[in-house]
Amino acid sequence: MAVADRARSAALSWPALRRPGVAALAGIPIAAPFLFYLAGDAAISVSPWEVLGLCLAFFAAESIRLTIEVRSHTFQCSGSETVLVLALVEAGGLWTAFTWAAALTVLYARQRLALPKTVFNVAASVVQVGVAVLLLDLLPVGSLTDPVTWFCYLLAVLPAAAVGTLLIVGAITLTQGYPGHAMLTQLFVPALVVYPVSVVVGLVTALLVDRTAWAWLLLVPVLLVLGLLYRRFALVTRERESLERVYDFARRVENLGQGDAGTHELVAAVRELLNAERVALWLPPYLDEGPRLVVDAEDGAAWYDGPGDPEDLLRRRAVTAGTTGPVLFTAARADAAELAALARRRAAEVLGAPIATAAGEPGYLEVCDRRADTVNFADGDRAALESMLTHVNAAIRQQQLLVQIRYDADHDRLTGLPNRQRLVAEIDELLAADPTATRAGLILASLANHSEIVDTLGHAASDELLLVTAGLLREHAPAQAVLARMEGEQFAVLLPGLSLAATERAARRLREATSTRARVAGLDLEVSLTIGVAAAPVHGTDSGTLMQRADVALLAGAAGKGVASYHPVLDQQSLRRLQLGTEIEQAMAEGQITVVFQPIIDARSSDIVSVETLVRWAHPRYGAVAPDEFIHLAEQIGRIGPLTDHVLDLALARCRKWLDQDISLSVSVNLSARCLTEPDLVERVERALRRHGVPGELLILELTEGSVVDDSVRSSTVLADLHALGLRLSMDDFGTGYSSLSQLRQLPIDEVKIDKSFVLGMSTSQGESFIARSIIELAHNLGLRVVAEGVEDELTRNALAEMGCDKLQGFLVSRPLPDDRLESWLLARAGVRSAAPGATHRRLFVRA
């Protein structure tokens, strides 16, 4: 038996006593008395050939060992007790100690074991021989053929072996601490199993040789077979230990902690179970985590050169596609490049293996050097590591699954941006140090046409547009900004260190930079952001206040020019909007939301051809609420559909009354762009016509220019389906958008309304008159009728009539009137004509 250890100092108490040299020096004074005792024993005369034979026998026996590793020590159990018994019988104690010590010296020199370890092991062998001889001298040893003598040798050699084992335990405890009860059990089991058998074999050999020297002819083959069987036993034992290490490793992996601590536990477990100097695990970037190098080393180092370098030769060869299992690099078989990579690590052996990760890029695990001098990495260690890799990969996947769960909890799944929860944490962390002095800007940005895209093109197209918007924000946001996606169409940009003025400038630049058209679902859609701005500490010193005030500013931006900063006045406006939004349904039910009608006449005959229905809200607290305010609010809160249905019902009810009086008078109703994206719009209009008994030709739906030419509307059949009901479609406020008359050729539009901004300026500007004339001529060429709104004087009326305009609307004809006043106006100003040829109802006209 022997002990081997790497020469190093451990960071323990009394470091001077922990050095291997101290253990070697302690072995010499222990062995000296036994050596003197052996020298005084009666010497047996032996020939040089016998001495040489014993040396060779001890060398052969010590070469076949069962190795047990204890930290950086190796306990090696051999069949040397067989040779020990034979040597004691044939040569006596002194020559036994000499030949055993000589064999160990040659063997350790061949293995290049450190001198202090060699000295200690030789001293331990001398002690073991001395104890055996001392006990034999005390016992009644007789003839070798006497069974009592056999028993005496057992009583002498087994305690001697136990003493040798105790010396090993003492050296381990002295240099590295107490090894533990489990390890002591593992060390003493061979003494109870292997050593008695070895003593018996030695006695049998001595008996046969004592009978006749020719017995060696029979003994040598038998001893060789026993040696081979013992060697096989040692290999099987080591494989069993490797398997047990893998099972133990699997149990430890099941109880790993989370995060970096758990990963370090994993690496430490690999190092401990392979009894290695160092183990390093490199993991690629994953989600919001950067690359990581986790090291567990005997000397406590947290980093060493090599495994973290993607260009490192050993790492590249280990993770190369097609590599199966761990790759072993040893200085004895390495080429020049591999030797340089090993020298970079100051290692003689490296086991490297790829690690499967969820990042799409393999990780890398490497194990450097066994801790024991006399044991190197073998095929069994490669197999053990390969088995461990299954558990390592599972543990890494579990760790990354936890990272994924945490990441998903505070990131938006679609865009990958932080979500509201993460943004709140970022703001609070930023302001935590000094809430009253830390400056930070917060921008909330809302995608203007998100709801229309969802309703018209579906969620897939909407998600595509959101991804485009997120990409634009990433591209154009300042480098130090923290981007986040809130809910729905909202994004946030946190700007650490910026004042309110700087945040406002950044917001305007961001809005300009992201205002573009993007190809989504095969269509060119507009990307437009509405922005609200708040800043710390002027608007708040915590995340909740800052985000609430940015929300208020966002609402103001939507109602204004697209960008707004928080102001205390906006709180009252937000309260007003909130109250109006909650009261729209009630206001319709109670008759607060009503309609007025503005007559439209034929430019030549002065016949009243239709009335435009305009919505009004008389609020009991706020008075008259502007239509633009509550219509836009209804669009934002998703109540524009019910509001449109309410106005359509009132208009058709008025039309039904005229039909009951045998009068044919069309009504026109304005449709919001949002309405055109509602999938059941056509069905609702058809039901309303049927419910009131009004033919489709008496209903005109007025559409804004922007909604008609929008790609999402043009790509749908909504306009054609509405037109199929028999009603007419009119483009309102023509000339203020980006459409051209040529685009109208592809749409079922019946008429266009010249925006009143052109009509009002006709009497004073030739340019406006030219625009109006051009619109009329081009519209007629396309077969469209033309309505001019905003006619307020006779000069404009005459000019439009001369240009060929078909219909006129404005204060010159009449202001918008409620139902009762409209009846009075008709009685005072209108006359009745008989039905036109082919028509069934009479007509109204304005009397001169």
Side-chain angles (χ1 to χ4, degrees):
M1 56 186 171
V3 65
D5 178 79
R6 284 196 183 278
R8 71 174 66 79
S9 60
L12 301 170
S13 305
W14 304 330
L17 296 180
R18 304 294 177 178
R19 295 174 183 171
V22 174
L25 293 175
I28 294 175
I30 295 174
F34 291 99
L35 185 61
F36 283 118
Y37 179 77
L38 293 173
D41 196 18
I44 299 176
S45 176
V46 294
S47 67
W49 291 108
E50 289 176 317
V51 172
L52 179 61
L54 288 175
C55 287
L56 292 176
F58 272 117
F59 185 88
E62 289 289 350
S63 299
I64 304 174
R65 296 176 172 183
L66 171 64
T67 301
I68 301 171
E69 296 181 56
V70 185
R71 301 193 185 104
S72 62
H73 297 275
T74 55
F75 177 83
Q76 296 173 324
C77 175
S78 67
S80 55
E81 278 66 25
T82 297
V83 184
L84 174 61
V85 171
L86 183 62
L88 289 174
V89 171
E90 299 294 335
L94 183 62
W95 285 111
T96 299
F98 173 77
T99 54
W100 197 1
L104 288 175
T105 302
V106 173
L107 179 66
Y108 293 146
R110 184 166 175 252
Q111 293 178 348
R112 298 182 180 179
L113 188 67
L115 180 61
K117 312 318 176 263
T118 301
V119 171
F120 180 85
N121 290 328
V122 169
S125 68
V126 172
V127 170
Q128 189 170 343
V129 174
V131 170
V133 170
L134 178 62
L135 292 175
L136 287 172
D137 289 344
L138 296 175
L139 294 171
V141 179
S143 171
L144 194 60
T145 58
D146 187 353
V148 175
T149 301
W150 304 344
F151 188 68
C152 290
Y153 271 96
L154 281 171
L155 291 179
V157 174
L158 292 182
V163 169
T165 303
L166 288 174
L167 287 175
I168 303 302
V169 173
I172 294 173
T173 303
L174 182 63
T175 56
Q176 290 196 341
Y178 182 62
H181 295 295
M183 190 56 68
L184 286 179
T185 301
Q186 189 177 3
L187 289 175
F188 279 99
V189 164
L192 300 176
V193 178
V194 177
Y195 297 159
V197 175
S198 297
V199 172
V200 170
V201 172
L203 289 170
V204 170
T205 303
L207 278 169
L208 293 175
V209 171
D210 186 59
R211 290 286 183 180
T212 173
W214 291 104
W216 283 111
L217 295 176
L218 298 175
L219 288 172
V220 168
V222 172
L223 292 175
L224 286 175
V225 170
L226 290 176
L228 292 175
L229 288 175
Y230 185 75
R231 183 177 182 182
R232 180 59 185 167
F233 169 71
L235 291 175
V236 171
T237 301
R238 184 167 184 181
E239 289 174 0
R240 179 182 56 80
E241 290 175 354
S242 296
L243 197 58
E244 288 178 354
R245 290 203 306 267
V246 172
Y247 287 151
D248 184 37
F249 181 78
R251 288 192 295 270
R252 291 184 61 177
V253 166
E254 289 177 359
N255 300 316
L256 286 179
Q258 300 180 9
D260 292 339
T263 308
H264 193 273
E265 288 177 38
L266 177 67
V267 174
V270 173
R271 187 177 79 85
E272 180 178 337
L273 293 176
L274 288 177
N275 200 30
E277 278 275 1
R278 286 170 295 172
V279 173
L281 173 65
W282 181 87
L283 295 173
Y286 182 62
L287 300 176
D288 57 348
E289 292 186 343
R292 290 187 296 158
L293 179 64
V294 182
V295 173
D296 188 72
E298 176 75 6
D299 57 6
W303 179 91
Y304 66 93
D305 194 18
D309 181 6
E311 299 302 320
D312 177 72
L313 177 68
L314 303 189
R315 172 174 157 181
R316 282 194 292 109
R317 290 186 177 177
V319 301
T320 299
T323 300
T324 56
V327 180
L328 177 61
F329 303 95
T330 65
R333 296 192 298 270
D335 57 30
E338 290 174 345
L339 280 173
L342 290 170
R344 181 182 187 183
R345 293 163 168 78
R346 298 181 181 177
E349 292 183 312
V350 169
L351 269 173
I355 298 296
T357 72
E361 178 183 358
Y364 172 60
L365 177 72
E366 75 170 29
V367 184
C368 293
D369 288 336
R370 292 297 285 264
R371 297 165 75 186
D373 279 340
T374 59
V375 180
N376 298 321
F377 288 126
D379 291 339
D381 298 305
R382 293 178 63 182
L385 180 58
E386 189 166 6
S387 298
M388 288 181 193
L389 286 179
T390 302
H391 303 287
V392 171
N393 288 332
I396 294 299
R397 283 195 295 270
Q398 182 180 5
Q399 293 279 355
Q400 291 183 327
L401 177 61
L402 294 174
V403 171
Q404 179 76 57
I405 292 172
R406 177 187 57 77
Y407 183 88
D408 288 345
D410 55 17
H411 282 77
D412 174 53
R413 187 178 294 274
L414 174 66
T415 63
L417 293 174
N419 58 16
R420 177 184 285 271
Q421 174 180 307
R422 179 67 177 272
L423 180 66
V424 167
E426 292 281 352
I427 296 174
D428 287 338
E429 182 180 352
L430 182 63
L431 301 180
D434 190 353
T436 59
T438 302
R439 298 195 304 181
L442 179 62
I443 296 172
L444 287 187
S446 177
L447 190 58
N449 54 348
H450 177 257
S451 297
E452 292 93 328
I453 300 300
V454 173
D455 294 339
T456 306
L457 301 178
H459 287 283
S462 167
D463 290 348
E464 190 176 345
L465 185 60
L466 288 170
L467 285 171
V468 170
T469 305
L472 289 170
L473 289 172
R474 283 191 180 98
E475 180 181 354
H476 297 290
Q480 77 277 18
V482 177
L483 298 179
R485 184 191 172 198
M486 311 297 275
E487 307 80 16
E489 70 275 19
Q490 282 193 13
F491 295 85
V493 184
L494 177 64
L495 300 168
L498 265 63
S499 64
L500 175 59
T503 304
E504 289 173 337
R505 290 193 295 271
R508 285 191 290 270
R509 288 195 298 268
L510 194 61
R511 186 169 189 265
E512 291 172 4
T514 56
S515 294
T516 182
R517 296 186 73 84
R519 193 73 174 171
V520 174
L523 303 173
D524 288 327
L525 301 182
E526 184 178 357
V527 178
S528 178
L529 296 178
T530 301
I531 288 179
V533 174
V538 292
H539 294 150
T541 56
D542 62 88
S543 59
T545 303
L546 203 61
M547 293 174 70
Q548 183 267 332
R549 291 179 171 173
D551 263 323
V552 171
L554 180 62
L555 291 175
K561 297 181 179 180
V563 178
S565 296
Y566 172 78
H567 190 278
V569 173
L570 297 177
D571 286 329
Q572 291 300 320
Q573 295 178 2
S574 296
L575 182 62
R576 169 189 166 102
R577 288 173 58 83
L578 179 62
Q579 184 172 355
L580 290 176
T582 59
E583 294 178 355
I584 285 180
E585 294 280 1
Q586 181 183 354
M588 289 189 290
E590 294 179 355
Q592 296 175 23
I593 295 181
T594 59
V595 295
V596 294
F597 304 95
Q598 187 172 27
I600 300 173
I601 65 171
D602 186 280
R604 294 184 180 81
S605 65
S606 295
D607 285 356
I608 303 174
V609 293
S610 64
V611 293
E612 180 176 2
T613 310
L614 304 169
V615 66
R616 297 290 187 265
W617 187 354
H619 195 279
R621 178 180 176 184
Y622 298 121
V625 182
D628 285 347
E629 180 180 358
F630 69 82
I631 289 173
H632 183 63
L633 177 60
E635 289 180 328
Q636 288 185 321
I637 65 174
R639 306 310 299 160
I640 191 63
L643 180 60
T644 302
D645 292 345
H646 179 67
V647 173
L648 185 60
D649 273 332
L650 294 176
L652 293 177
R654 175 69 268 185
C655 187
R656 181 68 254 175
K657 289 181 182 179
W658 284 320
L659 287 173
D660 292 341
Q661 299 170 13
D662 195 29
I663 294 174
S664 175
L665 190 59
S666 299
V667 290
S668 64
V669 175
N670 289 278
L671 278 189
S672 162
R674 186 72 59 86
C675 289
L676 292 175
T677 63
E678 294 174 339
D680 62 342
L681 173 66
V682 177
E683 182 182 349
R684 284 163 28 217
V685 172
E686 184 178 15
R687 283 202 307 266
L689 289 169
R690 194 164 50 246
R691 184 168 57 250
H692 292 282
V694 174
E697 61 265 18
L698 293 183
L699 176 61
I700 303 170
L701 295 181
E702 295 192 11
L703 317 169
T704 61
E705 183 179 359
S707 68
V708 170
V709 299
D710 186 83
D711 283 341
S712 61
V713 174
R714 292 172 60 192
S715 64
S716 70
T717 62
V718 62
L719 296 182
D721 293 341
L722 287 171
H723 203 263
L725 297 178
L727 54 79
R728 287 169 287 167
L729 299 178
S730 175
M731 181 184 287
D732 197 13
D733 301 331
F734 184 80
T736 59
Y738 301 97
S739 65
S740 65
L741 283 168
S742 61
Q743 289 178 289
L744 303 184
R745 300 167 63 180
Q746 307 169 19
L747 300 171
I749 301 297
D750 299 286
E751 66 180 27
V752 295
K753 296 184 74 171
I754 304 175
D755 186 69
K756 63 183 178 181
S757 61
F758 300 119
V759 176
L760 290 173
M762 284 179 58
S763 59
T764 57
S765 171
Q766 290 185 353
E768 306 292 357
S769 296
F770 177 77
I771 292 174
R773 182 184 297 277
S774 299
I775 292 174
I776 293 169
E777 291 178 356
L778 290 172
H780 285 166
N781 290 337
L782 293 172
L784 304 177
R785 290 184 292 275
V786 181
V787 182
E789 55 181 339
V791 180
E792 296 187 355
D793 54 68
E794 289 289 347
L795 183 62
T796 303
R797 171 179 178 161
N798 294 335
L800 288 167
E802 181 198 350
M803 294 176 188
C805 184
D806 301 291
K807 302 176 185 179
L808 305 176
Q809 177 183 358
F811 285 0
L812 178 65
V813 179
S814 173
R815 293 177 177 275
L817 301 170
D819 188 46
D820 55 345
R821 290 185 58 190
L822 177 63
E823 281 294 324
S824 300
W825 183 85
L826 291 174
L827 289 174
R829 296 287 306 276
V832 179
R833 298 187 195 274
S834 59
T840 58
H841 298 286
R842 296 179 298 166
R843 296 168 292 165
L844 297 177
F845 68 95
V846 178
R847 292 194 294 264

